[in-house]
Amino acid sequence: SRRAAVPPRTRPAARKPQSKARTRAGAGTGGAFGMTGTRRAALLAMVVCALALSIAVPLRTYLAQREELRDVTASHETLRAEVAELERRKQELADPAHVEAEARRRLHYVRPGETPYIVQLPGDAERELEEQRPATKPAEDKAWYEQLWDSAAAR
């Protein structure tokens, strides 16, 4: 048997050694931290989102508490003014002369021996009738559910 002549294998040409700077910046190595620019941008976006979310909740709570504090402060000032008005009224009512004047004016009280007079002007009669009328209409002879429906429908 004859042996076929096999051409001798040739060695590949020797490569030149490349510098480290060129291999780092070369294709597919990814630069710093072994990451491409797109991955670095995605990581940066994730870090920024995480920071924004970690700041958003406490900031929202802080702003809500500031608004609540503002409301409570306004309510406190309103109550303080109301207390001052009630204290002033309490001092007025501690004076017996003022109590007597209020009883004469509101309740039409008179002292024994005095003759009360009520002066009615032409427009006073209509005004008194309006004041004496009840604020609501008397209940009609309807079933309770009809009255409820009428009040809900604002009839």
Side-chain angles (χ1 to χ4, degrees):
S1 86
R2 279 189 175 176
R3 278 190 156 179
V6 177
R9 287 188 182 168
T10 59
R11 288 180 113 194
R15 286 193 211 166
K16 290 183 184 177
Q18 295 178 350
S19 70
K20 288 187 178 184
R22 188 166 181 201
T23 56
R24 272 195 187 159
T29 59
F33 301 114
M35 295 172 47
T36 62
T38 306
R39 286 189 178 184
R40 275 184 275 162
L43 181 64
L44 179 65
M46 287 185 350
V47 168
V48 168
C49 287
L51 285 174
L53 289 176
S54 66
I55 291 173
V57 174
L59 183 64
R60 187 182 71 203
T61 304
Y62 170 73
L63 293 175
Q65 286 177 349
R66 266 185 49 191
E67 182 68 27
E68 184 179 347
L69 180 64
R70 190 174 321 152
D71 292 344
V72 168
T73 304
S75 173
H76 182 70
E77 290 302 319
T78 303
L79 290 174
R80 190 178 297 248
E82 187 177 336
V83 166
E85 176 63 27
L86 290 173
E87 288 290 333
R88 186 192 60 78
R89 181 78 175 138
K90 179 181 172 185
Q91 289 176 354
E92 284 179 357
L93 292 176
D95 182 21
H98 184 74
V99 173
E100 181 181 343
E102 286 286 319
R104 286 174 172 267
R105 184 178 60 86
R106 288 184 181 184
L107 304 174
H108 305 291
Y109 279 12
V110 292
R111 290 184 167 239
E114 292 181 347
T115 305
Y117 292 101
I118 298 178
V119 178
Q120 290 187 345
L121 300 174
D124 288 346
E126 293 174 9
R127 186 173 41 179
E128 283 183 18
L129 288 176
E130 290 295 324
E131 289 175 1
Q132 291 174 357
R133 287 187 189 155
T136 60
K137 297 178 183 175
E140 299 174 11
D141 292 332
K142 291 184 178 180
W144 66 269
Y145 52 86
E146 290 176 340
Q147 292 177 7
L148 178 65
W149 180 257
D150 289 344
S151 68
R155 291 185 187 173

